[in-house]
Amino acid sequence: MSSLSESGLPIEPVYGPSALSGWDPAEKLGEPGGFPFTRGVYPSMYTGKPWTMRQYAGFGTAAESNRRYHQLINAGTMGLSVAFDLPTQMGYDSDEAIAAGEVGKVGVAIDSVEDMRVLFDGIPLGEVSTSMTINAPGSVLLLMYQLVGEEQGVPSGKLTGTIQNDILKEYIARGTYIFPPKPSLRLVSNVFQYCHREIPKWNTISISGYHMAEAGATPAQEIAFTLANGIEYVRAAVASGLDVDDFAPRLSFFFVARTTLLEEVAKFRAARRIWARVMRDEFGAENPKSMMLRFHTQTAGVQLTAQQPEVNLVRVALQGLGAVLGGTQSLHTNSFDEAIALPTEKAARLALRTQQVIAYESDVTKTVDPFAGSYAIEALTDEVETAALELMARVEDFGGAVAGIEAGFQKQEIERSAYQIAQEIDSGKRTVVGVNKYTIDVEEPYEPLRVDPAIEAQQAARLTKLRAERDNVAVTKALDEMKRAAETDTENVLYPMREALAARATGGEVSHALRDVWGTYVPADAF
């Protein structure tokens, strides 16, 4: 009797040759580093060097986060990943009334290029790769980073990293949007164009399924809705006049890794295959790099438990292994205490050590795509691919990702899956160790990391000082020029935005100026 996967697909107790009847390895697999990239985007994968080991970090002030980054680098982190607080994510300054109580809580507060300078003090931006989890104001934080790099004497052509910059998934699953979809897509296209000209090694977007998965999406839904969003971004960029091979090589993706290892490995392989064919067949991409689905993975925060939190170390190790077996290009492993609070220094170090054990003590890095040809994995890959393609076709029936979002399709599908998962946990049908099975009567005490509430006042004082010392006439002039560019249909707003930030305009001031032109997005179901 078969069981069901997270996507509702059958998993048979035994697989054999009949599971792959008529299966053509040349068509389905190809060679590692070759179309359709099922076996990985690089010929040697981890046999030459491991994936980039990132640790997502950021809290409180820029100075506090800077200290944590130095600790992670000393522990062997190969890339930084910045978490921003909620006001920064929503385009508000720390001293605005709406930001009260949220400054520095879920990430670092960055109000201006002054804060960005402190955040990366002593960190050579020409040598590290930095990922920034920022969406609606992604262009703002990218330009601040570029300005700090220039202050360090680093040519923009040497800067490497990623901004998430994926606004469509915010409308679906997360909610940190600012502007309506149409100007938001324009801003994304402007970033593609700007980075092609000015910061050529930067990954201009991280098209994210992670947050949809955290909201309850199944593996098939995660890749289907993520790739549908990717198609929408490519269409918008091509419509703006960009050549697909000029920007597609810098696109990247962001997925979750759950504890259901077999389907997760199949999911990653299916996603690569679908994207390669979409880019070649729909968009006419000719550069193989335009067809490569390169992705970052983060272990599943939603599967972490506050009960018996040390068990999360086991979950994260299993999830991280699945990401590696699935061929990720970079990986963040969650800290075991993240279901309780921001991770402590020790917990963050243990999370990094988990990746290092997989990379240097296991043998999974000694061969490329070790599951290739497995009856079970290849059958699951085909089934996940079919399920994802069916969902992508339903999105297309609406007219694409934006039209589907406006109709509420993706959100409703994910909410249905989330409700089913909650019911299964509540009924005991789905086992969560330490929560509904193998529980203990008394939890051991745990002292979480706490953010100093004085941070809000400190940030407000920094902003007061900034506005008193800068040339406010120059700031106003620069913001007005940015607004004028935003009112056109063709100008790239990042160039005047950069001048405004260089004049020390704040992130909130830039976002408010664009709100004046583009308005804010209010979903239909908000009424």
Side-chain angles (χ1 to χ4, degrees):
M1 181 179 177
S2 62
S3 303
L4 293 180
S5 73
E6 291 290 287
S7 298
L9 305 172
I11 299 181
E12 303 299 334
V14 177
Y15 286 87
S18 62
L20 301 180
S21 178
W23 187 80
D24 181 359
E27 175 194 355
K28 297 286 190 177
L29 288 181
E31 295 298 323
F35 189 90
F37 304 103
T38 310
R39 304 196 63 191
V41 294
Y42 303 123
S44 61
M45 288 303 289
Y46 313 132
T47 60
K49 64 177 181 179
W51 58 94
T52 299
M53 299 180 193
R54 296 191 186 278
Q55 285 307 112
Y56 185 51
F59 63 95
T61 65
E64 287 179 291
S65 293
N66 175 264
R67 286 192 287 273
R68 174 63 61 86
Y69 294 156
H70 280 284
Q71 291 164 357
L72 289 170
I73 289 170
N74 291 336
T77 293
M78 298 153 62
L80 299 175
S81 187
V82 184
F84 297 96
D85 72 355
L86 193 56
T88 303
Q89 293 179 47
M90 297 293 290
Y92 294 108
D93 289 331
S94 296
D95 59 354
E96 296 189 55
I98 197 170
E102 292 292 342
V103 176
K105 289 292 179 66
V106 299
V108 61
I110 299 294
D111 291 314
S112 72
V113 70
E114 306 280 347
D115 290 329
M116 189 68 84
R117 184 182 301 122
V118 173
L119 184 64
F120 290 102
D121 182 44
I123 297 174
L125 299 190
E127 299 174 20
V128 301
S129 171
T130 303
S131 175
M132 294 190 281
T133 304
I134 194 73
N135 294 284
S139 53
V140 176
L141 277 298
L142 170 64
L143 293 172
M144 289 182 185
Y145 188 87
Q146 182 190 21
L147 289 167
V148 171
E150 289 176 355
E151 291 176 2
Q152 290 188 2
V154 180
S156 295
K158 287 191 174 181
L159 295 176
T160 60
T162 306
I163 48 171
Q164 194 161 101
N165 197 30
D166 175 11
I167 197 61
L168 293 181
K169 67 94 173 48
E170 297 295 328
Y171 302 119
I172 294 172
R174 195 161 173 270
T176 62
Y177 43 73
I178 299 176
F179 315 113
K182 186 176 179 180
S184 293
L185 283 174
R186 176 207 172 159
L187 199 52
V188 170
S189 296
N190 282 179
V191 170
F192 291 175
Q193 182 185 62
Y194 182 87
C195 287
H196 177 64
R197 295 174 179 172
E198 310 292 343
I199 319 178
K201 292 184 179 180
W202 196 266
N203 296 319
T204 54
I205 193 168
S206 180
I207 307 164
S208 176
Y210 181 88
H211 303 93
M212 290 187 267
E214 293 285 279
T218 67
Q221 289 173 337
E222 178 192 356
I223 62 170
F225 297 150
T226 303
L227 298 185
N229 286 351
I231 290 169
E232 194 85 4
Y233 291 126
V234 175
R235 286 174 179 163
V238 170
S240 74
L242 295 175
D243 182 87
V244 67
D245 286 322
D246 282 345
F247 67 87
R250 304 314 306 174
L251 303 180
S252 65
F253 291 79
F254 175 24
F255 294 118
V256 78
R258 302 171 181 81
T259 53
T260 45
L261 186 147
L262 297 182
E263 188 177 19
E264 292 299 285
V265 172
K267 175 192 78 178
F268 296 132
R269 300 168 91 249
R272 278 194 295 268
R273 196 154 71 200
I274 294 171
W275 187 248
R277 289 176 176 147
V278 165
M279 294 304 291
R280 183 192 67 180
D281 299 342
E282 179 173 341
F283 295 106
E286 296 180 358
N287 185 345
K289 291 183 178 180
S290 298
M291 307 174 207
M292 292 179 182
L293 185 145
R294 298 170 302 112
F295 64 94
H296 169 71
T297 309
Q298 182 173 337
T299 55
V302 74
Q303 291 186 320
L304 301 181
T305 65
Q307 300 92 331
Q308 301 180 46
E310 292 86 355
V311 177
N312 293 328
L313 287 165
V314 182
R315 293 187 177 101
V316 169
L318 187 61
Q319 293 161 356
L321 179 61
V324 171
L325 291 170
T328 192
Q329 274 60 72
S330 71
L331 177 62
H332 163 84
T333 35
N334 288 327
S335 300
F336 75 89
D337 53 357
E338 287 186 40
I340 303 170
L342 290 168
T344 61
E345 179 184 345
K346 179 180 180 180
R349 186 171 61 249
L350 283 171
L352 176 60
R353 295 288 182 257
T354 302
Q355 295 198 50
Q356 291 165 337
V357 168
I358 295 171
Y360 302 114
E361 293 191 23
S362 81
D363 58 1
V364 298
T365 60
K366 290 181 169 59
T367 187
V368 176
D369 191 22
F371 278 167
S374 158
Y375 298 132
I377 290 297
E378 300 300 357
L380 277 171
T381 300
D382 288 353
E383 289 168 2
V384 171
E385 179 183 15
T386 298
L389 287 171
E390 288 174 354
L391 283 167
M392 291 170 70
R394 292 180 67 186
V395 172
E396 284 298 301
D397 288 342
F398 283 95
V402 170
I405 289 166
E406 292 172 343
F409 170 65
Q410 298 97 317
K411 191 170 185 287
Q412 290 169 6
E413 290 293 301
I414 292 170
E415 287 173 349
R416 187 179 298 113
S417 298
Y419 181 64
Q420 181 178 336
I421 292 170
Q423 284 186 312
E424 291 174 359
I425 293 172
D426 290 345
S427 68
K429 183 178 179 181
R430 178 187 294 256
T431 297
V432 180
V433 173
V435 175
N436 61 5
K437 200 169 184 180
Y438 309 115
T439 59
I440 55 178
D441 293 332
V442 180
E443 294 285 342
E444 296 180 9
Y446 174 79
E447 185 60 37
L449 178 71
R450 302 190 186 280
V451 176
D452 186 350
I455 286 170
E456 196 167 311
Q458 293 169 9
Q459 282 299 112
R462 284 176 61 83
L463 282 165
T464 299
K465 183 172 183 289
L466 172 76
R467 294 186 181 114
E469 293 177 349
R470 71 187 183 185
D471 183 344
N472 287 295
V473 173
V475 170
T476 300
K477 182 180 178 181
L479 290 173
D480 286 344
E481 177 60 20
M482 184 188 69
K483 289 167 71 172
R484 185 203 60 76
E487 288 168 350
T488 73
D489 293 327
T490 57
E491 291 192 42
N492 190 317
V493 299
L494 266 72
Y495 288 95
M497 184 187 293
R498 183 181 182 280
E499 294 306 311
L501 293 168
R504 298 199 290 176
T506 68
E509 289 165 343
V510 168
S511 295
H512 286 311
L514 292 177
R515 283 183 178 98
D516 290 344
V517 179
W518 292 337
T520 55
Y521 178 69
V522 180
D525 59 5
F527 298 101

